Structures are given as structure tokens and as C-alpha cells.
Amino acid sequence: MARFKVTIAYDGSGFHGFQRQAGKDLRTVQGVLEDRLTKLLDEPIIVHAAGRTDAGVHAKGQVFHFDTVRNISAEGLIYAFNRYLPADITANQVAQVAPGFHARKMACGKCYGYQLYTGRRLPAIGHMYLAHEIRPVDGAVFSKVLAQAQGTHYFAGFCGRGATTLTYDRTLYRVRVLRAGDYWAIYLIGDGFLRKMVRNLVGTALDEATGRKPAGTFARALASGKREEGGNTAPAEGLFLERVYYDKEDLAQGIDRLDAGRPEDLVGPRAIFINLF
């Protein structure tokens, strides 16, 4: 029995999230991966991902592992797998790993990026990768409000309903907001994220920065842990799972890359299509 770690990118526009949904005829990333791998390897395959993404959310560096009895190399697997995959999923890396490796349990951090557009009309090219905010955004307020999320907090006030988690405590090592004209980018690197946490953080900060919610809304939700005291959930299409980290050194380097990154690489159309982390 061999265990493989696979890093993939996918366009979430055509998927109802990552997780296969039993009893529902919905296209999911997990469903496609398992179906294609099962046919390719001629054995039942179950994939275990580093985390779930919601419907419409994209990934540049999602990670999963699976086991197989087939005698196949990592090089042979990535070549064959990509031939079987649809155009909106690409396997970027495949490596054989120790039997004890687990894509979710062994992750020590993740990086998410959120791409936002504040112009009057979304650009025709790339619109499916941008959230659209039509109200004027006070950039100073937006950055100041969102910066409150950096550090270790009890994030229950920003957790989506229906989540199953033992603790709501998470640490965000870095929260960075950048702007280039009508393009905005928000990057968050942390030890873990709750269900819809990024979208709820961004949505609540936008509510304050546009005047939809009064000043202090974000702080109250953070302090109380009550979701009803927060703001709206930002749209899914702007969210990207950028990278999953599996050792502290790699995580530290990811934080350094974010701190040192050039704004022209981190925000706008270029940032949507390249891997920065």
C-alpha cells in the first residue's frame, strides 16, 4: 500500500464545494477526484483533503492524500492523473509520502487570499474570480477593522453555521490588505480557519467600511463570539485557498514572502493567475 500527497489547483466556479455530498447529484471537487482516480487505478479511492472549500471558492494549493495498492511512481501518477482530470482541476505536485502522513491533521497553517473589485462594473475577463463591492469603501477603515483579526482570538463570531469544531480559537499570523485602483486583495495566514471564517471577516469589515454596519460591529463580534453580531458573508468567488503549510519553516517563509511581496504581484489580475505562496 502506497500513500500519495497531491497538491491541486481548481476553479471553484463549476463546483458545489470540495466535499462529496452523499445522496445529492452535485458536482464536487472530491467527487471528481475520487471518480477519476478510481477509474485510473482500477480500485476504490477515497481522498482526504487539508480542508473543505465552499461552493464557488477556488484553490491554488489544495492538498489531499490517498492510498493505493498500485505500483506507480509519483511522476507517472501526475502525468496520468492530469490526462484524466477536467480542465478546471490541475494536479501541480504529486509525492509519495510516509503511511502516517495526513493532509488535514498534519497541516500547521494555511494561506487564503481574497480578491475584491470596487469599480462600477466588473471586468469581463476574470470576473468569476472577483467579489464585487458597489458601495464606496473607506480603505483606512477597512484595513484598520480587519487588522483586529491578527493574533490569537476566539473566532466563533465569524464561524459559519453548521460547523463541527472542538474549539473556535485560532491564530492569524498575518492579515494584509492591498489596493491597486479598483482592485483589492486581502491575505490571511493562520494556523487554521473555521467554516466561512475568511468570508465573514472580510464581509464584516466591508460592512463597516461602506457604512452598512455601525463602527464597532467587527470588534463586538470578535469579543462576544456571537455570529449574529457580525456582518454579512462576503461572496465566495473572491476567495482562494493559496497554500497549505506542513512545517514551521515553510510557514515562516510564507509569512516572509507575504511581508516582502510586491503590491503589483499581490493585487489585481496578475495575483489571480499566479502562485505566490
Side-chain angles (χ1 to χ4, degrees), residues 96-176:
Q96 188 169 348
V97 291
F101 174 83
H102 195 285
R104 177 178 58 82
K105 295 178 181 179
M106 298 185 72
C108 65
K110 294 177 183 175
C111 176
Y112 277 95
Y114 196 88
Q115 299 292 331
L116 176 70
Y117 187 76
T118 56
R120 298 186 68 180
R121 182 176 175 84
L122 277 167
I125 306 300
H127 66 89
M128 69 286 290
Y129 309 118
L130 293 163
H132 192 202
E133 176 55 67
I134 59 174
R135 291 193 182 192
V137 178
D138 186 320
V141 170
F142 182 59
S143 297
K144 183 178 180 180
V145 169
L146 201 55
Q148 297 173 87
Q150 189 163 303
T152 301
H153 301 283
Y154 179 72
F155 282 106
F158 298 95
C159 182
R161 293 176 177 84
T164 55
T165 183
L166 297 177
T167 174
Y168 295 95
D169 295 313
R170 297 292 187 274
T171 299
L172 296 187
Y173 303 112
R174 200 64 85 241
V175 177
R176 188 174 181 190

Side-chain angles (χ1 to χ4, degrees), residues 18-20 26-36:
F18 182 90
Q19 187 178 19
R20 183 192 286 273
L26 298 174
R27 187 174 186 255
T28 66
V29 178
Q30 182 182 12
V32 170
L33 293 174
E34 290 178 348
D35 290 347
R36 299 300 171 94

Side-chain angles (χ1 to χ4, degrees), residues 170-214:
R170 297 292 187 274
T171 299
L172 296 187
Y173 303 112
R174 200 64 85 241
V175 177
R176 188 174 181 190
V177 179
L178 302 107
R179 181 182 183 183
D182 291 326
Y183 290 92
W184 302 64
I186 303 95
Y187 291 98
L188 306 95
I189 297 179
D191 62 356
F193 293 83
L194 302 167
R195 186 170 188 263
K196 296 188 178 180
M197 177 175 157
V198 175
R199 293 168 58 195
N200 288 333
L201 289 170
V202 173
T204 303
L206 278 174
D207 282 348
E208 280 200 49
T210 58
R212 279 192 295 261
K213 294 281 187 178

Side-chain angles (χ1 to χ4, degrees), residues 36-147:
R36 299 300 171 94
L37 279 169
T38 293
K39 293 175 182 176
L40 174 64
L41 299 171
D42 195 25
E43 62 175 315
I45 297 295
I46 302 296
V47 307
H48 303 271
R52 305 167 184 173
T53 51
D54 296 325
V57 175
H58 318 289
K60 297 178 185 177
Q62 173 70 284
V63 177
F64 69 88
H65 77 264
F66 73 94
D67 296 325
T68 178
V69 298
R70 297 297 175 189
N71 183 18
I72 186 171
S73 68
E75 294 78 10
L77 182 58
I78 192 171
Y79 173 77
F81 194 23
N82 276 324
R83 291 194 65 185
Y84 271 70
L85 286 172
D88 48 3
I89 306 180
T90 298
N92 293 328
Q93 295 179 334
V94 176
Q96 188 169 348
V97 291
F101 174 83
H102 195 285
R104 177 178 58 82
K105 295 178 181 179
M106 298 185 72
C108 65
K110 294 177 183 175
C111 176
Y112 277 95
Y114 196 88
Q115 299 292 331
L116 176 70
Y117 187 76
T118 56
R120 298 186 68 180
R121 182 176 175 84
L122 277 167
I125 306 300
H127 66 89
M128 69 286 290
Y129 309 118
L130 293 163
H132 192 202
E133 176 55 67
I134 59 174
R135 291 193 182 192
V137 178
D138 186 320
V141 170
F142 182 59
S143 297
K144 183 178 180 180
V145 169
L146 201 55

